[in-house]
Amino acid sequence: MELTFRAATPAERLYTVEQSMQLEGQTGCVGCLWADMGADGQGFFSKWNSRRKNLDTEEFQQELENVLETLIGGERYGGFLKSRDAMEGFCREHPESSFNGGAAFGFRADTEQYSYLIRLTPCKGEENLSIYCYRRDWLDQHMKRAEKGIRFITLDYEEKFTIEDGGMVRISHQDGSVSDQMCRYIDDYHMEIGGGRGRIYHICEFAERLERNGSDVTPLGNLLPAVCNEEQKRPLKHHCKDRGAAR
């Protein structure tokens, strides 16, 4: 079995946690394996959560078992799943994989058909490992589209700003309260506000909702430059007629 292994990019780290049903469908999420090393740090107590029965085949399960055996026993990868101490040492050797203020470490392993997005948390009392499994081609295609970013528009269909997938916005309400929300790219005209299990909006619908409630939205973090591809140049009014999220 050919296996490539490296630290996850910032964009790939978004897929080391639970996704919404919409994103699971678009990325071909097969399921997730969670594990901890137990009180003494020497065990491997795991559970599997299947997300798409049609993808969770016997062939896939055999490959997943082979991947785990390789990561546990393969010296090429430091045997970082042998124990919690081995995991902690491996994470120290790969500071480029650190995120969430050093609380977690992200990696990506690829085979020919599948991608394994790995999150390590080498702390006692924590869930030490999660592996989210995706169809590689589906994941890569979705991530390529998501590079365009998430657009926010005015009620007149003019673009206000564009943020990167996984970026944050601040919603300011009429009563003076604010809420900061993570946003995820669904497609060029749909976004998920709230991250993980948030609500999906058509970008026109969200602009109308803000206007109706007397609210405003501002970006927090990185802004993306204006998108120049032909698809996103289409008049937005046309796309406001059908706001059903892409399947």
Side-chain angles (χ1 to χ4, degrees):
M1 178 186 65
E2 289 291 329
L3 181 69
T4 61
F5 184 89
R6 58 172 172 77
T9 65
E12 289 166 343
R13 293 169 191 165
L14 295 172
Y15 301 91
T16 64
V17 296
E18 186 174 5
Q19 308 295 304
S20 67
M21 187 178 297
Q22 184 75 32
L23 284 175
E24 283 183 352
Q26 295 199 24
T27 55
C29 183
V30 185
C32 179
L33 182 138
W34 295 280
D36 69 74
M37 271 66 174
D40 63 0
Q42 300 297 315
F44 192 83
F45 305 96
S46 65
K47 57 183 177 180
W48 169 254
N49 182 6
S50 180
R51 304 302 295 169
R52 289 179 68 101
K53 298 294 184 182
N54 63 317
L55 298 180
D56 191 3
T57 62
E58 185 175 334
E59 179 185 11
F60 166 76
Q61 284 294 327
Q62 183 60 58
E63 179 177 292
L64 176 60
E65 184 176 335
N66 292 340
V67 169
L68 287 172
E69 289 177 356
T70 300
L71 297 181
I72 291 172
E75 294 303 321
R76 178 180 176 185
Y77 307 106
F80 65 88
L81 295 185
K82 287 181 178 179
S83 67
R84 192 159 47 237
D85 286 344
M87 180 184 292
E88 184 176 3
F90 183 78
C91 290
R92 281 200 304 268
E93 292 172 2
H94 296 276
E96 74 281 7
S97 68
S98 172
F99 64 107
N100 283 2
F105 300 82
F107 297 90
R108 175 171 174 167
D110 286 328
T111 62
E112 183 178 356
Q113 292 190 56
Y114 300 98
S115 291
Y116 301 87
L117 274 294
I118 302 168
R119 179 187 178 107
L120 304 180
T121 309
C123 298
K124 184 177 180 180
E126 298 283 344
E127 193 172 71
N128 301 130
L129 167 72
S130 65
I131 304 179
Y132 284 84
C133 311
Y134 301 91
R135 272 285 302 267
R136 181 178 176 178
D137 51 349
W138 294 18
L139 176 65
D140 286 343
Q141 289 167 13
H142 179 79
M143 291 187 65
K144 182 63 177 177
R145 293 191 296 267
E147 291 177 0
K148 302 172 187 177
I150 303 164
R151 293 185 296 163
F152 289 80
I153 63 170
T154 68
L155 198 59
D156 297 323
Y157 315 114
E158 297 295 328
E159 188 165 319
K160 289 167 63 75
F161 57 85
T162 300
I163 64 170
E164 62 185 9
D165 184 25
M168 301 287 293
V169 294
R170 173 164 292 171
I171 302 173
S172 302
H173 304 287
Q174 199 169 36
D175 62 4
S177 64
V178 299
S179 60
D180 297 341
Q181 301 287 343
M182 175 187 279
C183 304
R184 296 300 308 276
Y185 173 94
I186 300 298
D187 59 35
D188 290 351
Y189 296 95
H190 297 89
M191 58 187 169
E192 185 178 274
I193 304 291
R197 293 296 178 182
R199 177 174 172 180
I200 295 175
Y201 293 93
H202 191 286
I203 58 175
C204 299
E205 176 193 4
F206 189 70
E208 291 168 358
R209 183 182 179 89
L210 291 177
E211 177 72 15
R212 184 170 62 251
N213 295 338
S215 303
D216 192 23
V217 61
T218 53
L220 298 174
N222 295 336
L223 290 171
L224 295 183
V227 177
C228 297
N229 66 73
E230 293 303 318
E231 171 66 20
Q232 291 206 359
K233 283 183 179 179
R234 293 181 185 176
L236 281 169
K237 290 184 181 181
H238 170 76
H239 291 276
C240 289
K241 295 177 182 178
D242 180 9
R243 294 177 183 165
R247 296 291 185 260

